[in-house]
Amino acid sequence: MEKEKTEDFALMAELESFFSALADSTRLRIVMFLLKNGEASVQEICKGVGKSQPLVSHHMACLKNCGVVKWERKGKNVIYKLNDEHVKEIINEALNHVSLFSNSILSCEIIKEEREDGKE
């Protein structure tokens, strides 16, 4: 029983970290950019999301650590893309869900309060 609780706790921590990686607006913009474009260099991502190279590189490290993106070297460039079909499915399902529940998601008072508390 104790082992099961430990495994549940670990799984919850992993899920929370994964969804936190996607919850940041810059990281989410990067993910959406890669979903739309397939693959891109850091310079292309910077231009596409309107953020600096150091900031994008910082966020790419998080996305890579969380298994959201992968990279490969092409000549002198490092090219990033979404890690696999699972990530694409998660994002596409989230887009479908948001399109169905947009009004209630945007009007959620609990989320609004949590965002306001986080800004203080």
Side-chain angles (χ1 to χ4, degrees), residues 29-89:
R29 283 187 180 130
I30 292 168
V31 168
M32 295 302 291
F33 180 83
L34 291 173
L35 183 66
K36 179 181 177 186
N37 294 285
E39 62 181 37
S41 67
V42 170
Q43 294 79 12
E44 292 167 329
I45 295 168
C46 292
K47 186 177 178 183
V49 300
K51 301 290 181 180
S52 70
Q53 185 273 324
L55 182 66
V56 168
S57 292
H58 171 76
H59 287 296
M60 294 307 292
C62 173
L63 292 170
K64 191 169 57 173
N65 290 341
C66 291
V68 177
V69 299
K70 62 183 176 182
W71 64 274
E72 63 183 54
R73 187 165 293 282
K74 287 189 179 179
K76 293 181 180 183
N77 291 321
V78 172
I79 303 298
Y80 289 91
K81 59 177 115 180
L82 295 180
N83 194 17
D84 58 21
E85 289 304 312
H86 293 110
V87 173
K88 292 176 188 175
E89 289 174 22

Side-chain angles (χ1 to χ4, degrees), residues 2-30:
E2 193 62 37
K3 181 181 176 187
E4 192 174 297
K5 284 184 180 179
T6 302
E7 289 172 354
D8 287 348
F9 181 78
L11 177 61
M12 295 303 290
E14 290 168 343
L15 284 169
E16 185 177 351
S17 293
F18 177 77
F19 284 112
S20 291
L22 297 174
D24 177 86
S25 64
T26 299
R27 290 192 292 267
L28 189 55
R29 283 187 180 130
I30 292 168

